[in-house]
Amino acid sequence: KNQVEQSPQSLIILEGKNCTLQCNYTVSPFSNLRWYKQDTGRGPVSLTIMTFSENTKSNGRYTATLDADTKQSSLHITASQLSDSASYICVVRAGGSYIPTFGRGTSLIVHP
Amino acid sequence: DSGVTQTPKHLITATGQRVTLRCSPRSGDLSVYWYQQSLDQGLQFLIQYYNGEERAKGNILERFSAQQFPDLHSELNLSSLELGDSALYFCASSVTLVAGGSEQFFGPGTRLTVL
């Protein structure tokens, strides 16, 4: 069964600090992996998308990594800002499938 | 603003009733996806349409149905509503990427409350 597990479930950090969110998946065969940011009560917004051949992708202060061998991805946020407070969702798509598998997200709170 | 519109923004109704949620995809996007997000659950994929045809089905209840019209807008119909159907319902449309695969753009969602 295709599954995506994210950790930690929630995280509180101080403004200006860095943090790393984890995503482990069992989706096979692997097609691509996305990280989304979802503000409370709003739709998710794509941060990065990575295919099998990519192991790092950056979007401003967000850097995603992918290790397809261990089926792990991480999202690193640098110099956090209050506006980074949101849920971060890892989504993996299997090759040949139109149905994505969503993780349950990591809730990040950035305190001043 | 993702370019995907959803109406209504909020909907309050009673158990046993039927409601229709509407989604207009981004201009040029042929695919529409519907998702349900409950408080204690992550995003759950319900169904996908591509250019008017059903393409993939996820965890969609038999009480729920959807369709995509010739102008590419989509409607999600929820009937015999139960308290547990209270959730945020998102629509997304997608564009095919040059590198392959596709990227989904989500609408603002419809918050359904069943009393």
Side-chain angles (χ1 to χ4, degrees):
Chain A
K1 182 181 176 183
N2 290 334
Q3 287 188 312
V4 175
E5 301 288 338
Q6 291 188 243
S7 62
Q9 188 173 2
S10 60
L11 184 60
I12 301 174
I13 62 174
L14 291 176
E15 186 179 12
K17 297 296 186 184
N18 304 334
C19 66
T20 301
L21 314 180
Q22 300 289 344
C23 172
N24 297 335
Y25 61 91
T26 60
V27 176
S28 182
F30 176 83
S31 176
N32 60 60
L33 183 148
R34 294 181 181 83
W35 283 94
Y36 284 93
K37 177 187 179 189
Q38 184 179 20
D39 293 316
T40 302
R42 307 192 70 168
V45 174
S46 179
L47 295 175
T48 63
I49 176 171
M50 288 184 291
T51 58
F52 184 87
S53 58
E54 299 172 298
N55 53 26
T56 302
K57 183 76 70 81
S58 289
N59 178 0
R61 295 180 297 101
Y62 301 101
T63 299
T65 64
L66 173 66
D67 185 333
D69 292 330
T70 61
K71 298 188 176 181
Q72 295 180 325
S73 176
S74 65
L75 180 69
H76 186 74
I77 304 175
T78 305
S80 61
Q81 300 175 358
L82 298 179
S83 60
D84 292 332
S85 296
S87 180
Y88 292 83
I89 303 170
C90 175
V91 184
V92 183
R93 188 184 297 272
S97 171
Y98 297 110
I99 302 176
T101 302
F102 285 77
R104 296 187 68 164
T106 291
S107 175
L108 174 66
I109 298 174
V110 180
H111 278 313
Chain B
D1 184 358
S2 66
V4 178
T5 61
Q6 288 187 249
T7 57
K9 193 167 186 177
H10 300 279
L11 197 49
I12 301 175
T13 188
T15 55
Q17 295 298 305
R18 172 191 169 94
V19 297
T20 297
L21 313 183
R22 183 188 168 105
C23 167
S24 292
R26 295 182 337 145
S27 177
D29 286 356
L30 300 179
S31 276
V32 168
Y33 306 74
W34 285 100
Y35 296 89
Q36 180 191 57
Q37 187 175 40
S38 305
L39 267 177
D40 57 347
Q41 299 261 353
L43 278 159
Q44 301 287 321
F45 169 75
L46 295 178
I47 197 164
Q48 179 202 359
Y49 279 84
Y50 179 84
N51 203 20
E53 300 287 327
E54 182 184 305
R55 175 168 270 187
K57 209 173 224 185
N59 300 319
I60 187 166
L61 299 173
E62 286 190 12
R63 300 183 286 108
F64 297 0
S65 65
Q67 59 185 126
Q68 187 179 27
F69 296 86
D71 67 353
L72 301 178
H73 90 271
S74 178
E75 292 181 356
L76 178 67
N77 300 296
L78 315 176
S79 60
S80 302
L81 285 167
E82 302 175 358
L83 295 178
D85 297 327
S86 296
L88 266 170
Y89 290 85
F90 288 105
C91 167
S93 70
S94 69
V95 59
T96 301
L97 301 174
V98 172
S102 63
E103 177 163 358
Q104 294 186 21
F105 295 86
F106 284 79
T110 292
R111 181 174 293 282
L112 173 66
T113 302
V114 182
L115 301 175

